[in-house]
């Protein structure tokens, strides 16, 4: 298998024509097999045979997460006995959304992550330590596992947490790469300092970072990324994905956004009026899956706000790239007239020495406006003034600040149903 598929080296015009053909196949497939999209076309008086190009997609109303939650199994294009893997993601209406995969979908997922690891300089000679769960219907875990298998590299399945266990494996089995949430890399760095471990003498040379952004909107490293690289000389690769899209956008070594794989997905990045944004502008990532058999999606609004880049990359790929997700559309906060996203708040908190951990909580105040409460785990009370100064100088607004203990922090961050540590809680 070629490391970079030929289609990724074509011109944008050639890539679009390739995608037009794949789109016609997808439209024909869902119009024949998807109960939801059959109804969607009929209700909106759409003749699916007229959808021939990406521009024609504008005729189709968006699909939302609420649609997936309310009509979950109407999206299935095959009988349940043909679904071999069941994954889930949180739903906006309270209960999880199930995404079922056929055998072909699992193979497609493996190919997608193979491309991701290749983007991140992966080879068959690598040995990857997986610091994420492979259970609880978590698609990312099985995706990375299958992608590494397809790459032909070694796999060390450790799971999340416990720096002691992670370093025991690193020192004994000598992985060359980690798949990890970047904030956990900070915890590993702190543990190594306490234990006298020389990080730069270990076998680890790179990390594929999931779940959190490493970069600011201008593509330079954010505070989290700088903290890691200043103390651990490894190459960091950011990645963006979701369960619904069954596809990932992963950075190459140039670090200029996650690369699009045209054979797997159509990407629209849209403004509030539903128009495609220009190069270097931000909008909502809206996707149409290609080649998915079990539960394909058309014009699915992810809710993620990201920047699109369409200039060719010096790595040799000509595909568009997505910059870091700056926030989710429904997570936008209006605090005293200032627009904020959680990522910007995290960036400020990560700059303040003395903060061990935190939770950002947003609630609706008595006047119906957004109110922001920062729950801080810190050793010294003078951290509060430092945080106030940072917010005042950086954003000109100051949220409520509360110092909490570790037990209270855990109660905020760790819920029984969540697979991830929660640092943003929205009670509006």
């Amino acid at each position: 298998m070629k490391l970079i598929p030929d289609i990724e080296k074509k011109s944008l015009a050639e890539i679009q024509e390739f995608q037009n053909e794949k789109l016609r196949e997808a439209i024909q497939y869902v119009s024949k097999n998807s109960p939801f999209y059959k109804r969607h076309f009929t209700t909106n008086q759409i003749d699916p045979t007229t959808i021939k190009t990406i521009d024609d997609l504008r005729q189709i109303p968006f699909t939302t997460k609420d649609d997936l939650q309310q009509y979950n199994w109407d999206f299935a294009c095959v009988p349940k006995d043909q679904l071999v893997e069941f994954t889930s993601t949180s739903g906006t209406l309270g209960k999880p959304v199930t995404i079922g995969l056929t055998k072909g979908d699992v193979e497609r997922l493996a190919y997608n992550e193979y491309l991701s690891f290749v983007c991140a300089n992966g080879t068959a000679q690598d040995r990857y330590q997986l610091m994420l769960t492979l259970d609880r219907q978590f698609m990312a875990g099985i995706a990375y596992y299958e992608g590494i298998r397809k790459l032909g590299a070694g796999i060390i399945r450790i799971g999340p947490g416990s720096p002691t266990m992670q370093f025991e494996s690193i020192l004994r089995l000598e992985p060359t790469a980690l798949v990890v949430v970047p904030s956990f890399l900070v915890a590993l760095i702190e543990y190594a300092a306490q234990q006298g471990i020389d990080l730069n003498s270990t076998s680890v040379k790179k990390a594929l970072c999931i779940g959190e952004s490493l970069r600011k909107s201008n593509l330079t490293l954010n505070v989290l990324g700088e903290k890691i690289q200043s103390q651990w000389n490894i190459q960091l690769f950011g990645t963006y994905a979701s369960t619904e899209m069954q596809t990932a956008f992963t950075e190459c070594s140039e670090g200029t956004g996650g690369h699009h794989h045209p054979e797997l997905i159509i990407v629209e990045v849209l403004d509030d009026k539903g128009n495609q944004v220009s190069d270097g502008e931000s909008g909502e990532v809206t996707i149409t899956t290609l080649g998915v058999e079990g539960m394909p999606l058309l014009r699915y609004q992810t809710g993620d706000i990201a920047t699109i880049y369409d200039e060719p990359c010096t790595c040799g790929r000509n595909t568009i790239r997505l910059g870091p997700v700056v926030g989710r559309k429904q997570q936008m906060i209006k605090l005293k007239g200032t627009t904020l996203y959680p990522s910007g708040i995290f960036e400020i908190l990560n700059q303040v020495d003395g903060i061990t951990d935190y939770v950002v909580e947003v609630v609706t105040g008595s006047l119906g406006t957004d109110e922001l409460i920062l729950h801080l785990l810190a050793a010294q009370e003078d951290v509060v003034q430092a945080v106030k100064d940072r917010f005042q100088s950086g954003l000109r607004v100051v949220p409520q600040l509360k110092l909490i203990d570790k037990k209270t922090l855990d109660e905020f961050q760790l819920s029984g149903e969540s697979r991830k540590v929660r640092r943003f809680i929205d009670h509006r």
Side-chain angles (χ1 to χ4, degrees):
M1 185 178 293
K2 297 177 181 178
L3 289 182
I4 303 179
D6 287 340
I7 187 58
E8 299 191 21
K9 300 177 184 178
K10 301 288 187 182
S11 68
L12 286 179
E14 290 173 307
I15 289 172
Q16 182 164 326
E17 185 50 44
F18 169 84
Q19 289 213 297
N20 287 340
E21 182 179 344
K22 293 293 183 183
L23 173 62
R24 291 190 286 271
E25 294 173 5
I27 293 291
Q28 182 180 17
Y29 182 77
V30 298
S31 64
K32 179 181 178 182
N33 297 295
S34 170
F36 177 85
Y37 285 113
K38 286 181 184 179
R39 186 170 64 245
H40 200 52
F41 292 148
T42 299
T43 301
N44 293 285
Q45 299 181 321
I46 296 169
D47 178 358
T49 63
T50 65
I51 310 299
K52 300 182 181 296
T53 69
I54 293 173
D55 287 341
D56 295 334
L57 274 174
R58 297 175 186 174
Q59 299 177 37
I60 304 176
F62 298 117
T63 302
T64 67
K65 196 156 194 174
D66 285 355
D67 292 327
L68 265 177
Q69 193 156 16
Q70 291 185 59
Y71 310 109
N72 202 167
W73 290 110
D74 284 355
F75 284 87
C77 290
V78 299
K80 278 190 181 179
D81 61 7
Q82 291 184 29
L83 300 173
V84 301
E85 185 75 41
F86 294 85
T87 64
S88 70
T89 184
S90 59
T92 56
L93 301 179
K95 62 181 181 181
V97 170
T98 297
I99 304 293
L101 287 74
T102 66
K103 180 180 178 182
D105 291 337
V106 174
E107 292 171 354
R108 176 189 175 281
L109 195 64
Y111 174 69
N112 160 72
E113 291 301 345
Y114 162 84
L115 294 178
S116 290
F117 284 110
V118 167
C119 258
N121 291 350
T123 72
Q125 285 69 51
D126 278 312
R127 190 177 301 117
Y128 288 88
Q129 184 154 315
L130 295 184
M131 298 182 177
L132 70 164
T133 184
L134 268 70
D135 59 6
R136 303 182 72 179
Q137 300 177 56
F138 189 38
M139 179 181 282
I142 192 69
Y144 290 124
Y145 179 81
E146 293 292 342
I148 295 168
R149 287 187 60 193
K150 193 169 189 68
L151 184 65
I155 305 173
I156 304 169
R157 293 181 293 110
I158 298 296
S162 182
T164 302
M165 182 171 57
Q166 303 293 351
F167 271 109
E168 189 279 330
S169 174
I170 289 171
L171 299 176
R172 179 170 58 88
L173 299 177
E174 299 185 329
T176 59
L178 309 177
V179 181
V180 60
V181 175
S183 57
F184 188 61
L185 286 175
V186 175
L188 292 178
I189 290 169
E190 292 172 351
Y191 178 86
Q194 294 166 3
Q195 300 298 316
I197 298 171
D198 181 1
L199 289 169
N200 294 316
S201 68
T202 68
S203 57
V204 178
K205 304 302 178 189
K206 57 197 170 193
L208 192 73
C209 295
I210 65 172
E212 297 171 342
S213 293
L214 289 168
R215 300 185 185 277
K216 295 181 282 191
S217 56
N218 64 2
L219 298 177
T220 60
L221 287 175
N222 59 19
V223 171
L224 180 58
E226 288 177 344
K227 274 187 177 180
I228 297 166
Q229 286 220 312
S230 67
Q231 298 179 72
W232 200 346
N233 186 26
I234 56 177
Q235 193 163 14
L236 302 176
F237 297 91
T239 184
Y240 161 63
S242 75
T243 300
E244 297 92 332
M245 69 172 70
Q246 303 180 47
T247 311
F249 297 77
T250 302
E251 291 179 342
C252 68
S253 56
E254 300 301 314
T256 55
H259 278 279
H260 170 223
H261 303 304
E263 60 269 62
L264 298 177
I265 200 166
I266 291 170
V267 188
E268 301 172 86
V269 181
L270 306 175
D271 62 21
D272 288 339
K273 296 180 180 179
N275 299 316
Q276 177 69 36
V277 302
S278 302
D279 178 65
E281 295 183 350
S282 297
E284 182 175 7
V285 179
T286 303
I287 58 94
T288 295
T289 56
L290 299 174
V292 171
E293 297 172 340
M295 301 179 78
L297 298 172
L298 302 179
R299 302 205 84 200
Y300 177 74
Q301 293 180 305
T302 65
D304 295 324
I305 306 299
T307 305
I308 190 170
Y309 300 94
D310 59 22
E311 287 295 316
C313 183
T314 54
C315 73
R317 297 172 178 86
N318 292 328
T319 50
I320 62 170
R321 303 181 308 282
L322 291 182
V325 172
V326 298
R328 290 188 60 79
K329 194 170 185 178
Q330 67 268 32
Q331 289 179 345
M332 185 180 76
I333 303 162
K334 291 288 284 188
L335 184 63
K336 301 174 183 176
T338 299
T339 298
L340 307 174
Y341 284 103
S343 59
I345 299 168
F346 298 164
E347 178 75 357
I348 290 177
L349 291 175
N350 287 335
Q351 294 174 15
V352 181
D353 293 332
I355 295 179
T356 305
D357 210 340
Y358 54 81
V359 167
V360 175
E361 182 182 24
V362 61
V363 300
T364 300
S366 59
L367 299 178
T369 56
D370 292 346
E371 292 188 6
L372 192 62
I373 307 168
L374 308 186
H375 303 273
L376 309 176
L377 180 64
Q380 303 293 331
E381 289 191 11
D382 59 6
V383 161
V384 171
Q385 188 59 50
V387 173
K388 286 181 178 179
D389 292 343
R390 288 278 187 177
F391 273 88
Q392 186 63 53
S393 62
L395 299 174
R396 304 195 185 283
V397 291
V398 179
Q400 297 180 46
L401 302 175
K402 294 183 178 181
L403 290 177
I404 58 174
D405 57 25
K406 183 66 166 64
K407 180 180 178 182
T408 305
L409 178 84
D410 288 344
E411 290 172 354
F412 273 116
Q413 288 188 342
L414 305 172
S415 70
E417 299 300 319
S418 178
R419 294 178 297 228
K420 304 174 184 177
V421 171
R422 300 187 306 165
R423 288 191 172 84
F424 178 73
I425 300 174
D426 194 340
H427 286 310
R428 290 175 292 182

